[in-house]
Amino acid sequence: REQFPLHQMLLQYFPLLSPFSKRASPRTPLFWEFLSLIMSNLIPFTLHYESRGNRSKENLPFDQFELKAVVEAPEVNQAAPTGKKTLRQGSVVVTGASSGLGLATAKALAETGKWHVIMACRDFLKAERAAKSAGMAKENYTIMHLDLASLDSVRQFVDNFRRSGRPLDVLVCNAAVYLPTAKEPTFTAEGFELSVGTNHLGHFLLSRLLLDDLKQSDYPSKRLIIVGSITGNTNTLAGNVPPKANLGDLRGLAGGLNGLNTSSMIDGGEFDGAKAYKDSKVCNMLTMQEFHRRYHEETGITFASLYPGCIATTGLFREHIPLFRLLFPPFQKYITKGFVSEEESGKRLAQVVSDPSLTKSGVYWSWNKDSASFENQLSQEASDAEKARKVWEVSEKLVGLA
Ligand code: LMG
Ligand code: NDP
Ligand code: PMR
């Protein structure tokens, strides 16, 4: 597994392609999506050589977009703009704003002049340098220390934030770690496996504590946003690249993910860093929906999640092998065409923070090829209300809220 064996990868998908397969019907939506991915890369390539005299793109009989439309057909579902004018600058907390998506979002929001961004980061100096080199004006941001891998740090951050006297209008849970090459688990200060501990449990405590502050805000549109991902959703091709997300019966989570008397994985299985990350993203998307069910009506807060696109150049892949870091961006750009720049992804998340048309709660936003937002479908597991409630209740115990 650690060597990324090619034969293992191919075996995974050959059954899908074989007409004699008993394992998977060749007519599943995934089969068509996989086929369309291959065809969309082969057809333009072939046509290019068959029609050298006529290079006009319009003459191609079909392209990837048409093929994709057959399998995806996303439902565009946008709420009507509220048209409310904001009187004061909004105040938004963004976790992990020292690089990648978080930094690009902070920059996009600060540039409008309508937002003051509280950059909640574990490395103060790195965040300061990042904000400066992004050209953010001093009056539009504040850096505050937050290490999500320590629940004490989360509580301290909340205290410090309250002491600053700023209102909380929007909270963005963005920070994450991805440890695909780790052979053994590592742990947070409280002894939770690091990826789920940081990406899910740290944010779970943070957002539960800050819910009161959001409630108190008088801002016209208050929002709590938790960044999700396509790779946690097994209703997509990307979500079927092994290892797949699966929370099982939550026995590992219930035991505290400590790797001692219990597994370090939510489902109780062997440690796998890539799976732990995808599991943590499922928890993020379930938590957003559980928040929506419990608090939207009562508080009017908008709860949302999103897949910002594949930002293949960020620090998220810092632990991956160099060959992966080299091939991943061109693979996403030219083969899957799911690539987005950090700047574009930042604009997308900034939309979810402040666009008056994205006020619908309980939604998982995605963007199509023309960068238009649409309400996307989550996988069965990532939209399982019963599982969401269990994740909520178990997490509550682990972070000391119940
Ligand atoms: C998991 O394996 C481990 O199981 C897990 O434990 C953990 O370690 C995790 O990431 C960490 O990895 C991942 C494994 C699963 O993927 C790999 O082994 C790494 C592959 C590297 C992926 C990036 C490059 C992909 C190369 C394909 C195309 C080459 C192009 C190079 C790019 C340059 C472009 C100019 O992966 C899988 O299981 C996937 C199985 C699918 C295999 C089938 C491959 C199909 C590729 C789809 C593209 C179709 C287009 C083909 C047409 C091309 C024509 C030009
Ligand atoms: P980056 O690694 O660039 O950014 C992650 C941020 O999280 C960094 O600022 C990092 O801080 C911070 N962070 C990590 N651990 C902690 C911690 N313990 N306490 C506080 N902050 C921490 O990755 P991305 O920008 O790509 O990821 C941002 C979000 O986007 C994640 O939620 C990820 O799951 C999601 N996402 C990313 C995709 C992609 O293709 N890149 C696709 C789909 C979703 P530091 O700078 O100090 O390391
Ligand atoms: Mg994936 C078909 C579209 C597609 C998309 C949108 C992504 C997004 N990926 C796609 C397809 C494939 N990927 C295919 C066909 C393969 C096999 C070659 C593949 C492989 C792959 C690997 C090994 N992809 C990956 C990895 C990672 O290590 C990344 C990961 O899983 O991180 C958890 C990853 C990703 N692919 C994506 C996205 C968005 C990621 C990473 C980021 C994330 O989910 O946060």
Side-chain angles (χ1 to χ4, degrees):
R1 190 170 57 74
E2 303 80 40
Q3 306 296 317
F4 312 104
L6 198 69
H7 69 272
Q8 203 181 310
M9 284 168 53
L10 291 172
L11 269 176
Q12 187 75 27
Y13 284 92
F14 262 122
L16 277 173
L17 294 170
S18 161
F20 308 108
S21 165
K22 280 181 203 149
R23 219 183 113 191
S25 155
R27 286 182 189 80
T28 61
L30 266 178
F31 168 80
W32 291 114
E33 196 175 335
F34 186 66
L35 194 67
S36 95
L37 182 66
I38 292 172
M39 296 299 276
S40 65
N41 281 288
L42 289 179
I43 289 164
F45 179 80
T46 314
L47 289 174
H48 176 77
Y49 285 97
E50 282 184 356
S51 59
R52 288 214 178 162
N54 182 359
R55 298 230 169 151
S56 162
K57 261 199 166 173
E58 288 79 45
N59 288 339
L60 293 180
F62 53 98
D63 63 353
Q64 181 190 3
F65 203 60
E66 272 176 88
L67 276 165
K68 279 244 146 189
V70 178
V71 290
E72 280 177 7
E75 193 186 319
V76 179
N77 200 343
Q78 294 191 349
T82 60
K84 278 186 188 166
K85 283 250 149 60
T86 58
L87 295 174
R88 61 169 172 84
Q89 218 184 18
S91 176
V92 54
V93 169
V94 181
T95 69
S98 49
S99 82
L101 175 61
L103 178 61
T105 305
K107 181 177 191 279
L109 289 169
E111 266 170 5
T112 63
K114 292 179 187 162
W115 292 92
H116 187 88
V117 186
I118 293 96
M119 301 169 71
C121 299
R122 62 176 165 178
D123 184 338
F124 197 89
L125 277 175
K126 181 179 176 183
E128 188 59 62
R129 267 188 233 116
K132 281 212 177 96
S133 65
M136 291 168 64
K138 257 198 164 126
E139 65 274 18
N140 291 336
Y141 71 90
T142 304
I143 298 169
M144 288 181 66
H145 186 263
L146 167 65
D147 181 356
L148 289 158
S150 154
L151 298 181
D152 283 343
S153 173
V154 172
R155 290 185 179 278
Q156 263 168 37
F157 171 82
V158 172
D159 283 349
N160 288 339
F161 175 75
R162 286 177 182 159
R163 237 172 273 142
S164 79
R166 289 188 187 279
L168 181 65
D169 306 321
V170 178
L171 169 62
V172 181
C173 298
N174 160 79
V177 288
Y178 174 42
L179 309 162
T181 55
K183 291 179 176 60
E184 297 294 332
T186 41
F187 300 94
T188 66
E190 287 75 21
F192 307 128
E193 186 282 316
L194 192 64
S195 359
V196 175
T198 305
N199 309 357
H200 167 58
L201 292 169
H203 278 135
F204 183 81
L205 178 61
L206 179 72
S207 50
R208 286 289 301 275
L209 294 176
L210 288 178
L211 186 69
D212 269 338
D213 304 69
L214 277 172
K215 280 185 197 165
Q216 283 161 27
S217 153
D218 61 350
Y219 204 70
S221 182
K222 308 184 270 191
R223 306 183 190 185
L224 197 171
I225 299 155
I226 309 178
V227 178
S229 181
I230 193 170
T231 53
N233 279 296
T234 50
N235 58 338
T236 64
L237 181 57
N240 276 277
V241 174
K244 292 195 215 178
N246 178 11
L247 308 188
D249 62 5
L250 308 182
R251 66 179 67 180
L253 186 67
L257 300 176
N258 59 33
L260 293 170
N261 51 3
T262 182
S263 163
S264 59
M265 300 293 291
I266 294 179
D267 66 357
E270 281 277 295
F271 174 72
D272 183 321
K275 182 175 182 298
Y277 170 87
K278 294 174 192 178
D279 289 350
S280 78
K281 289 285 116 183
V282 175
C283 290
N284 286 156
M285 295 179 280
L286 289 173
T287 301
M288 175 281 285
Q289 294 164 87
E290 190 64 16
F291 261 118
H292 168 72
R293 281 187 284 267
R294 289 177 187 239
Y295 295 107
H296 174 64
E297 236 175 70
E298 170 198 330
T299 64
I301 296 169
T302 295
F303 300 97
S305 185
L306 69 150
Y307 167 57
C310 187
I311 330 154
T313 52
T314 70
L316 194 66
F317 310 102
R318 68 185 100 183
E319 299 292 331
H320 223 310
I321 56 168
L323 182 65
F324 176 88
R325 292 209 306 273
L326 180 73
L327 292 182
F328 193 55
F331 172 65
Q332 294 293 343
K333 245 183 222 165
Y334 302 114
I335 297 180
T336 73
K337 293 161 182 91
F339 180 91
V340 289
S341 66
E342 296 185 21
E343 192 188 3
E344 175 58 27
S345 68
K347 285 186 192 153
R348 290 177 177 185
L349 180 45
Q351 262 177 33
V352 183
V353 169
S354 73
D355 193 316
S357 70
L358 302 188
T359 52
K360 190 167 171 190
S361 183
V363 170
Y364 168 66
W365 297 104
S366 296
W367 284 259
N368 66 23
K369 292 205 157 48
D370 304 321
S371 261
S373 58
F374 67 93
E375 197 182 323
N376 207 347
Q377 296 296 310
L378 291 159
S379 70
Q380 197 179 357
E381 181 172 52
S383 51
D384 182 335
E386 186 53 28
K387 214 168 247 192
R389 189 180 57 78
K390 282 188 192 148
V391 166
W392 180 280
E393 286 170 1
V394 173
S395 304
E396 220 167 38
K397 289 199 185 102
L398 293 179
V399 302
L401 288 173

